[in-house]
């Protein structure tokens, strides 16, 4: 029977009859029939009248099919619901990025306003100076010319008056009475005839303004750049032989290609990229990232010992494709290391290919890396290879205590870097990968810590250097945020400086004028700021010259208010005046007395002696103020592994960040 459709205004009784629900398992094709089977091929319920049309199709009991469908739906529901926490996490993360972006915009806007206000002030000052210089110069020239005019006027007046008197005398009758007067006039006229008057101009009228504005206008036109990139970690990738295998003690290289959300290659640099090589015991191997400014980057690292390692490559704090990578570090005979440049790009699939050393044929081999020391022997004879050291250096400084293990809790560290000591008996540690600063007493008792991870003012992204200002403020170099933050002694944020100027601040110090000295590791430049953020001066560039640096790390100030800088890749220590003039340079690459394998931390004692952390040789050396080697601190009982920051405590001990061992150590130091 054909079912008739009814309009909404049909009688209520008729609608009630037509809308009555059918049986629970009524067949959708045959009215009044009950479906008890399910066709798996057609995916529909079947009654006995449906069977002829589905005779060749696989069938199961309807109850079984309904249960299976219900289970499938439940499973699909669970799978989709499982995505909700992930979506929630991603949503929170994206919101955090947006908030940081907004905060960064506000920060940059503030920097632009303050920078241009400062420029306006400088222009006004220069304007006042020029106007003052104009008045002074005019006044000097005007004074000379006016004096000459006055002199000429006096001469002219005397001559005119005397001539008038002479003319009057000549007009009268000659007589004895006028004889005396005429003689006096004759003598006076003789004097006036020989009177020396300034008859040539004693000054000129030149008063010009030279205002070279073209270069300034061009500079102003190009002043400031908003730097960003569209790179995302999920699309960016790494390549190169250094991803899987490298040779102990030899540089390995990895190339990172940044891409946007669609996978397109980015063409500009300045992306915030971090790279870390983790050793089996969890310590971190140092390395250097080179920005090629075309969207690609190179990470060069050196691993000190054999084993399986992990390489973490992060873009904006997120792992790129494939990160973390597994590395195999092996020893290879010198003969096997003679690899021509054309063979340095081994593929990951070639298991028997010779791995790249990441350097050209003529490259210098770096000295011993941290951790390469013989067990059971003193550093005096094993690490330095100079049996005379014990007799040369009778000073036996030793370990007082060590604080810390790897972790994120109080008194635990992950890649600690800078160290500072305050006059009130406090030790401050820049806990780089935990994004905080931890504070201890001179006796090693934990007091406090502060720091919140982030890229907004007041937050820390990668604190590497720390110093204490005479005012008590704590100064922190934030490598990844590319600025220096200033906090109160209680850890409350006060200001930041260097934003827009710094590229990778590593170490900080304070001179005797209270100025902040910043060692920019990436820019290879030393900056000097007022505490207000005003730049006083800067010096240095990338290179191996006397006034150049290659990855400088930390700085200290001696009693002459000179700046002592550790030049990491040039394996030397350099001393400069505040104006950037080189005073002293000492050190070379090696393992002997006074040699370095990448110096890091530096401090100066009350006698002007210079204490240097020798990162690659895992030791601490002491020099006099002229750079002559004096002694070394005995660390053989508990060997260092890649020491970083170093300072002298208020009670005269040496505190050093033992980065590879995730702790700081305090040594007795005999001054």
């Amino acid at each position: 029977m054909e079912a008739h459709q009814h309009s909404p205004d049909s009688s209520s009784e008729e609608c009630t009859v037509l809308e009555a629900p059918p049986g629970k398992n009524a067949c959708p094709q045959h009215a009044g029939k009950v479906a008890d089977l399910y066709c798996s091929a057609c995916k529909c319920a079947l009654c006995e009248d449906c069977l002829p049309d589905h005779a060749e199709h696989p069938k199961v009991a309807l109850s079984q099919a309904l249960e299976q469908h219900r289970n499938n739906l439940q499973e699909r529901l669970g799978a989709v619901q499982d995505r909700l926490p992930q979506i929630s996490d991603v949503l929170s993360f994206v919101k955090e990025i947006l908030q940081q972006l907004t905060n960064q915009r506000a920060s940059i806007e503030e920097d632009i306003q303050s920078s241009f206000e400062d420029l306006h002030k400088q222009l006004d000052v220069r304007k006042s100076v020029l106007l003052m210089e104009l008045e002074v110069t005019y006044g000097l020239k005007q004074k000379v010319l006016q004096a000459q005019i006055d002199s000429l006027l006096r001469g002219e007046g005397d001559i005119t008056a005397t001539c008038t008197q002479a003319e009057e005398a000549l007009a009268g009758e000659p007589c004895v009475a006028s004889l005396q007067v005429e003689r006096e006039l004759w003598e006076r006229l003789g004097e006036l005839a020989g009177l020396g008057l300034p008859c040539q101009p004693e000054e000129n009228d030149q008063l010009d303004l030279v205002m070279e504005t073209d270069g300034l206008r061009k500079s102003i036109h190009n002043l400031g750049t908003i730097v960003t990139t569209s790179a995302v970690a999920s699309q960016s990738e790494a390549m190169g032989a250094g991803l899987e295998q490298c040779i102990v003690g030899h540089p390995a290289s990895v190339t990172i290609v940044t891409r946007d959300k669609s996978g397109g290659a980015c063409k500009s640099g300045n992306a915030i990229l971090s790279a870390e090589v983790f050793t089996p015991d969890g310590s971190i191997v140092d390395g250097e990232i080179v920005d090629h400014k075309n969207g690609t980057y190179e990470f060069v690292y050196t691993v000190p010992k054999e084993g399986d390692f992990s390489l973490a490559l992060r873009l904006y704090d997120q792992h790129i494709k494939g990160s973390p990578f597994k590395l195999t570090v092996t020893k290879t005979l010198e003969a096997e290391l003679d690899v021509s440049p054309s063979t340095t790009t081994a593929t990951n699939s070639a298991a028997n290919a010779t791995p790249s050393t990441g350097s050209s044929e003529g490259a210098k081999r770096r000295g011993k890396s941290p951790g390469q020391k013989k067990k059971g022997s003193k550093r005096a004879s094993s690490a330095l290879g100079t049996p005379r050291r014990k007799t040369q250096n009778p000073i036996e400084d030793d370990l007082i205590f060590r604080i810390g293990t790897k972790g994120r809790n109080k008194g635990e560290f992950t890649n600690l870097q800078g160290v500072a000591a305050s006059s009130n008996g406090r030790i401050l540690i820049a806990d780089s990968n935990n994004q905080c600063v931890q504070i201890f007493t001179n006796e090693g008792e934990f007091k406090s810590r502060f720091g919140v991870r982030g890229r907004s003012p007041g937050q820390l992204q990668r604190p590497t250097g720390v110093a204490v200002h005479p005012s008590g403020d704590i100064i922190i170099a934030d490598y990844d945020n590319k600025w220096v933050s200033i906090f109160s002694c209680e850890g409350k944020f006060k200001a930041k400086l260097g934003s827009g100027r710094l590229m990778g601040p590593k170490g900080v110090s304070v001179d005797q004028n209270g100025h902040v000295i910043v060692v920019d590791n990436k820019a290879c430049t030393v900056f000097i700021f007022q505490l207000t953020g005003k730049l006083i001066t800067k010096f240095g560039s990338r290179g191996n010259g006397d006034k150049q640096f290659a990855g400088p790390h930390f700085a200290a100030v001696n009693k002459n208010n000179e700046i002592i800088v550790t030049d990491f890749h040039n394996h030397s220590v350099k001393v400069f005046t505040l104006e950037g003039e080189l005073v002293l340079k000492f050190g070379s690459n090696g393992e002997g007395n006074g040699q370095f394998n990448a110096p890091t931390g530096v401090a100066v004692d009350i006698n002007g002696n210079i204490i240097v952390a020798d990162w690659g040789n895992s030791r601490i050396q002491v020099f006099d103020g002229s750079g002559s080697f004096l002694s070394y601190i005995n660390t053989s009982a508990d060997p260092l592994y890649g020491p970083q920051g170093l300072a002298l405590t208020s009670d005269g001990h040496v505190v050093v960040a033992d980065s590879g061992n995730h702790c700081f150590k305090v040594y007795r130091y005999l001054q």
Side-chain angles (χ1 to χ4, degrees):
M1 180 180 294
E2 183 179 355
H4 295 280
Q5 291 186 343
H6 295 264
S7 63
D9 58 352
S10 301
S11 66
S12 59
E13 181 181 355
E14 196 170 17
C15 287
T16 301
V17 173
L18 290 174
E19 292 177 1
K24 181 179 180 182
N25 292 330
C27 177
Q29 301 296 327
H30 303 93
K33 296 292 185 178
V34 176
D36 55 1
L37 293 175
Y38 181 79
C39 177
S40 301
C42 301
K43 301 188 182 306
C44 63
L46 306 176
C47 67
E48 58 183 9
D49 291 349
C50 300
L51 293 178
D53 296 333
H54 300 267
E56 304 298 327
H57 298 174
K59 295 174 281 293
V60 296
L62 180 62
S63 58
Q64 180 182 346
L66 290 173
E67 183 179 357
Q68 183 62 43
H69 274 273
R70 183 62 59 89
N71 291 339
N72 290 344
L73 179 61
Q74 185 66 46
E75 183 179 345
R76 181 65 59 85
L77 174 63
V80 174
Q81 287 178 332
D82 287 345
R83 294 197 63 193
L84 290 176
Q86 177 190 4
I87 293 173
S88 177
D89 290 344
V90 173
L91 184 62
S92 298
F93 186 53
V94 174
K95 284 182 177 179
E96 180 184 348
I97 293 175
L98 177 58
Q99 184 60 51
Q100 290 178 352
L101 178 67
T102 304
N103 293 343
Q104 191 67 3
R105 173 189 172 275
S107 174
I108 291 175
E109 184 177 3
E110 178 184 338
D111 289 341
I112 291 172
Q113 294 286 0
S114 62
S115 296
F116 277 86
E117 286 174 4
D118 187 49
L119 286 174
H120 278 300
K121 290 178 182 177
Q122 292 187 36
L123 286 172
D124 287 340
V125 169
R126 184 57 185 161
K127 174 184 172 183
S128 299
V129 168
L130 282 175
L131 290 173
M132 185 181 299
E133 186 179 340
L134 173 64
E135 287 303 311
V136 170
T137 305
Y138 168 78
L140 292 173
K141 294 172 79 72
Q142 183 265 348
K143 185 177 181 181
V144 171
L145 292 172
Q146 189 62 52
Q148 184 178 7
I149 289 172
D150 292 343
S151 177
L152 289 170
L153 287 174
R154 283 194 300 272
E156 182 185 37
D158 290 345
I159 291 173
T160 301
T162 304
C163 288
T164 300
Q165 291 176 3
E167 288 172 349
E168 290 176 350
L170 290 172
E173 290 294 330
C175 61
V176 175
S178 64
L179 183 62
Q180 183 62 32
V181 174
E182 290 178 2
R183 180 176 293 277
E184 291 176 356
L185 287 174
W186 180 83
E187 290 177 354
R188 178 64 177 154
L189 287 172
E191 292 174 359
L192 291 175
L195 180 64
L197 293 174
C199 295
Q200 297 296 326
E202 295 181 345
E203 251 297 356
N204 58 61
D205 62 352
Q206 182 184 10
L207 199 60
D208 298 325
L209 173 65
V210 178
M211 185 79 78
E212 297 290 346
T213 59
D214 290 344
L216 180 61
R217 291 177 190 276
K218 185 176 180 180
S219 297
I220 292 174
H221 180 74
N222 298 317
L223 182 62
T225 304
I226 304 300
V227 177
T228 188
T229 172
S230 56
V232 295
S234 60
Q235 296 291 335
S236 299
E237 54 195 352
M239 58 191 69
L243 275 182
E244 292 189 351
Q245 193 173 40
C246 70
I247 301 169
V248 171
H250 285 255
S253 176
V254 176
T255 299
I256 300 100
V257 179
T258 55
R259 300 185 183 278
D260 60 24
K261 65 178 182 179
S262 303
C266 296
K267 302 299 184 183
S268 61
N270 297 300
I272 299 175
L273 186 71
S274 64
E276 295 172 334
V277 178
F278 293 89
T279 60
D281 61 0
S283 58
I284 296 173
V285 174
D286 210 353
E288 182 178 12
I289 297 175
V290 178
D291 185 352
H292 296 303
K293 302 298 181 181
N294 61 359
T296 67
Y297 305 78
E298 185 177 9
F299 175 55
V300 181
Y301 65 94
T302 304
V303 181
K305 57 186 177 182
E306 290 182 284
D308 294 325
F309 295 73
S310 296
L311 168 60
L313 296 173
R314 294 183 178 89
L315 182 66
Y316 301 107
D317 297 326
Q318 302 172 63
H319 285 285
I320 68 170
K321 280 184 179 179
S323 177
F325 302 91
K326 300 299 180 184
L327 306 177
T328 301
V329 182
T330 58
K331 287 185 178 178
T332 306
L333 295 175
E334 290 296 326
E336 296 177 295
L337 293 176
D338 188 16
V339 184
S340 65
S342 61
T343 62
T344 56
T345 53
T347 59
N348 293 337
S349 60
N352 59 350
T354 303
S356 167
T357 63
S359 61
S360 60
E361 276 188 286
K364 287 185 178 180
R365 180 178 177 181
R366 288 181 60 185
K368 183 178 292 183
S369 296
Q372 286 183 265
K373 44 189 177 282
K374 298 176 183 177
K375 295 182 179 179
S377 58
K378 277 200 170 186
R379 186 173 284 278
S381 58
S382 62
L384 302 178
T386 51
R388 299 176 299 168
R389 287 191 63 112
K390 283 193 76 174
T391 57
Q392 282 182 332
N393 305 291
I395 300 175
E396 289 293 332
D397 305 303
D398 56 4
L399 179 68
I400 301 174
F401 62 83
R402 60 177 283 172
I403 298 292
T405 56
K406 185 179 182 182
R408 297 191 175 276
N409 297 317
K410 298 175 181 178
E412 297 177 343
F413 307 99
T414 306
N415 192 24
L416 66 168
Q417 297 272 314
V419 176
S422 68
S423 58
N424 64 343
R426 294 290 184 265
I427 296 172
L428 294 85
I429 306 292
D431 192 0
S432 182
N433 287 22
N434 286 334
Q435 291 86 27
C436 69
V437 168
Q438 300 199 45
I439 303 177
F440 301 80
T441 65
N442 281 353
E443 294 73 35
E445 178 188 353
F446 175 84
K447 298 302 293 183
S448 64
R449 71 174 180 177
F450 64 90
V452 177
R453 178 181 178 179
R455 297 191 179 277
S456 300
Q459 296 178 324
L460 301 175
Q461 191 63 26
R462 189 181 172 191
T464 52
V466 60
V468 180
H469 194 270
S471 65
D473 289 339
I474 300 171
I475 303 166
I476 302 172
D478 195 330
Y479 193 91
D480 282 354
N481 276 334
K482 301 180 182 179
W483 63 55
V484 171
S485 294
I486 301 173
F487 292 82
S488 69
C489 57
E490 293 84 17
K492 294 182 180 179
F493 177 70
K494 299 180 71 173
K496 66 181 175 72
L497 57 85
S499 179
R501 288 191 173 98
L502 301 174
M503 294 176 61
K506 173 78 175 184
V508 286
S509 187
V510 181
D511 70 10
Q512 295 173 11
N513 302 318
H515 297 153
V516 180
I517 299 165
V518 184
V519 180
D520 194 322
N521 176 267
K522 276 192 177 181
C524 293
T525 303
V526 173
F527 292 82
I528 304 178
F529 294 92
Q530 291 182 354
L531 201 60
T532 59
K534 181 180 180 180
L535 177 65
I536 298 173
T537 188
K538 64 178 181 177
F539 59 88
S541 60
R542 181 178 295 275
N544 55 12
D546 287 346
K547 295 184 180 181
Q548 293 181 308
F549 304 104
H553 267 49
F554 293 98
V557 178
N558 63 18
K559 57 187 176 183
N560 298 326
N561 213 22
E562 295 165 337
I563 304 171
I564 306 169
V565 183
T566 52
D567 196 352
F568 190 84
H569 292 296
N570 283 331
H571 311 289
S572 61
V573 174
K574 297 175 180 176
V575 183
F576 298 88
T577 66
L578 294 178
E579 293 74 33
E581 293 301 318
L582 182 70
V583 176
L584 173 68
K585 171 187 174 183
F586 61 91
S588 61
N589 189 13
E591 302 173 8
N593 294 350
Q595 292 185 307
F596 302 109
N597 183 8
T600 47
V602 61
V604 183
D605 69 17
I606 57 175
N607 298 316
N609 297 321
I610 302 170
I611 309 164
V612 183
D614 189 356
W615 178 84
N617 289 323
S618 285
R619 63 185 180 182
I620 301 172
Q621 300 191 71
V622 184
F623 302 81
D624 66 16
S626 63
S628 297
F629 175 80
L630 292 178
S631 65
Y632 71 103
I633 291 180
N634 188 352
T635 61
S636 59
D638 188 5
L640 298 170
Y641 184 27
Q644 288 274 353
L646 182 146
L648 273 171
T649 63
S650 58
D651 53 358
H653 299 315
V654 170
V655 55
V656 60
D658 191 356
S659 183
N661 289 320
H662 307 290
C663 66
F664 72 87
K665 295 174 179 175
V666 176
Y667 291 93
R668 188 170 291 107
Y669 177 68
L670 306 179
Q671 301 189 41

